[in-house]
């Protein structure tokens, strides 16, 4: 007959095995999601039309940010952020040319302080997404694009006060639902374009250390259960971009407001990053013929 101590050890070993098995299954599922998201952009790229009209936009931005990460600090940090934003959109050969492909690059850097101003956060995130959209035209001058994106988000948050664990990394790959609304308005002889885009990931894989696990332990080889299945139950991210474009002679001036809400809740660790960024930049349209850019008379890629 087993002693109480032996029974306790036996139960602990069984709980550890069940937890390890559950974590292993979650890691395998997350790896499958990661692989699918990785190959999704490659499939999409093969559908692009080499000689189609292409839209590009480059913007720089400045705004305010709010950062909370319980792994580094129990306090919320607020401050400012700067960003670089790149967008490319073109037609594909899918569905008789009614499907468009989009590349998005978003680089954001913020610096923030806690309320007592005793410590600072330095936060950097890089996001890339590739999507396919089916175009609809419900009414005149309005075009709606609905589709799905595959991409990833990678970043780091650094705390100036911490000694043992001064920084934590963030990594996600996901599939997102996305929609774009584009409206053309004519004011006298000046055309204007207004656009709104919303991206919301719904399934993917994410990186996260365990509660109380240091990066020193991870560096020594404690790498079990670092990749997890991600969906609405532990990860929410919404990217909202509102833009106004004013066509000029050789390019289009673009003004944008970007609101981003990023939140994770996993392994008893919470992270929340909110940014409000105002962008200014330019956009233009061109054909690619024999590997060279050729300007054209179109004002917008989806006239």
């Amino acid at each position: 007959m087993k002693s109480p101590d032996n029974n306790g050890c036996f139960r602990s070993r069984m709980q550890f095995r069940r937890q390890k098995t559950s974590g292993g299954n979650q890691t395998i599922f997350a790896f499958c999601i990661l692989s699918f998201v990785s190959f999704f952009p490659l499939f999409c790229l093969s559908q692009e039309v080499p000689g189609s009209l292409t839209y590009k936009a480059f913007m720089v931005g400045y705004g305010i940010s709010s950062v909370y990460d319980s792994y580094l600090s129990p306090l919320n940090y607020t401050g400012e952020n700067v960003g670089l934003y790149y967008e490319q959109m073109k037609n594909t050969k899918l569905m008789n040319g009614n499907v468009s492909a989009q590349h998005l690059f978003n680089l954001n850097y913020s610096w923030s302080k806690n309320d007592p101003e005793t410590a600072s956060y330095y936060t950097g995130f890089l996001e890339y997404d590739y999507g396919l959209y089916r175009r609809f035209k419900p009414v005149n001058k309005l075009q709606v694009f609905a589709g799905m994106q595959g991409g990833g988000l990678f970043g780091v948050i650094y705390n100036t006060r911490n000694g043992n664990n001064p920084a934590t990394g963030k990594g996600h790959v996901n599939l997102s639902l996305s929609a774009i609304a584009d409206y053309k308005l004519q004011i006298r002889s000046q055309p204007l374009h207004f656009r709104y885009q919303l991206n919301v990931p719904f399934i993917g894989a994410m990186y996260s250390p365990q509660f109380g696990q240091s990066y020193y332990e991870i560096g020594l080889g404690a790498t079990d259960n670092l990749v997890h299945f991600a969906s609405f139950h532990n990860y929410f991210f919404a990217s909202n971009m509102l833009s106004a474009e004013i066509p000029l002679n050789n390019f289009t001036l673009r003004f944008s407001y970007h609101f981003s809400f990023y939140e994770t809740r996993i392994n008893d660790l919470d992270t929340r990053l909110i940014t409000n960024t105002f962008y200014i930049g330019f956009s233009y349209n061109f054909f690619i013929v024999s590997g060279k850019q050729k300007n054209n008379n179109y004002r917008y890629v989806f006239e």
Side-chain angles (χ1 to χ4, degrees):
M1 189 172 180
K2 296 182 178 67
S3 66
D5 288 337
N6 288 335
N7 283 332
C9 294
F10 178 75
R11 284 194 298 271
S12 298
R13 286 195 295 269
M14 290 300 294
Q15 291 173 356
F16 175 76
R17 288 172 182 171
R18 285 196 295 268
Q19 184 179 17
K20 187 174 182 180
T21 301
S22 175
N25 292 336
Q26 190 181 62
T27 301
I28 293 173
F29 187 65
F31 179 77
C32 294
I33 296 294
L34 190 152
S35 301
F36 179 78
V37 174
S38 299
F39 284 105
F40 175 75
L42 298 179
F43 165 77
C44 297
L45 286 170
S46 66
Q47 309 302 318
E48 292 188 4
V49 182
S52 64
L53 183 65
T54 302
Y55 167 87
K56 283 189 177 183
F58 301 87
M59 296 187 296
V60 294
Y62 173 82
I64 58 176
S65 63
S66 172
V67 185
Y68 173 78
D69 191 287
S70 62
Y71 182 84
L72 298 175
S73 171
L75 301 178
N76 188 67
Y77 287 61
T78 56
E80 303 162 276
N81 76 91
V82 293
L84 294 174
Y85 197 89
Y86 167 78
E87 177 186 352
Q88 176 181 311
M89 200 159 187
K90 66 187 301 185
N91 291 329
T92 71
K93 57 187 178 183
L94 298 174
M95 300 183 68
N96 297 321
N98 287 318
V99 174
S100 302
Q102 183 187 54
H103 295 269
L104 286 179
F105 286 92
N106 183 21
L107 177 62
N108 189 275
Y109 172 75
S110 68
W111 57 98
S112 52
K113 293 184 178 182
N114 55 21
D115 289 339
E117 296 189 356
T118 57
S120 299
Y121 271 161
Y122 297 104
T123 306
F125 275 84
L126 173 64
E127 179 187 1
Y128 168 73
D129 291 291
Y130 184 97
L132 289 179
Y133 298 85
R134 174 67 164 89
R135 183 176 73 172
F136 303 91
K137 197 167 185 178
V139 296
N140 188 29
K141 297 183 180 181
L142 174 64
Q143 296 184 82
V144 177
F145 302 84
M148 189 171 65
Q149 292 180 338
L153 181 150
F154 304 94
V156 63
I157 303 175
Y158 175 77
N159 190 308
T160 59
R161 189 174 184 178
N162 292 2
N164 293 331
N165 279 327
T168 181
K170 305 296 177 183
H172 302 263
V173 291
N174 15 252
L175 292 175
S176 305
L177 299 176
S178 183
I180 303 171
D182 181 282
Y183 183 76
K184 182 179 179 181
L185 180 65
Q186 191 83 17
I187 299 179
R188 294 183 179 179
S189 60
Q190 178 64 57
L192 299 175
H193 278 275
F194 295 93
R195 293 181 60 191
Y196 172 71
Q197 180 165 358
L198 172 64
N199 305 327
V200 178
F202 67 94
I203 192 172
M206 63 184 293
Y207 159 82
S208 176
Q210 304 296 319
F211 178 80
Q213 183 182 25
S214 68
Y215 279 82
Y216 176 75
E217 295 174 306
I218 296 175
L220 292 178
T223 57
D224 292 339
N225 300 328
L226 291 179
V227 180
H228 306 267
F229 168 70
S231 191
F232 294 115
H233 66 289
N234 58 10
Y235 172 47
F236 180 78
F237 177 57
S239 174
N240 301 264
M241 176 72 81
L242 179 64
S243 302
E245 295 185 303
I246 306 173
L248 302 176
N249 289 332
N250 297 319
F251 66 94
T252 298
L253 192 62
R254 176 169 171 175
F255 300 92
S256 297
Y257 165 68
H258 185 224
F259 172 73
S260 174
F261 183 92
Y262 166 93
E263 184 175 35
T264 63
R265 297 179 180 272
I266 189 169
N267 296 337
D268 296 320
L269 298 173
D270 298 341
T271 300
R272 184 173 59 255
L273 173 63
I274 302 173
T275 60
N276 292 270
T277 312
F278 295 89
Y279 286 92
I280 184 172
F282 64 92
S283 64
Y284 60 96
N285 299 279
F286 62 89
F287 280 107
I288 296 180
V289 180
S290 301
K292 297 181 179 180
Q293 296 185 7
K294 179 180 179 181
N295 292 329
N296 61 89
N297 294 324
Y298 290 94
R299 291 286 189 178
Y300 200 73
V301 68
F302 297 122
E303 286 284 0

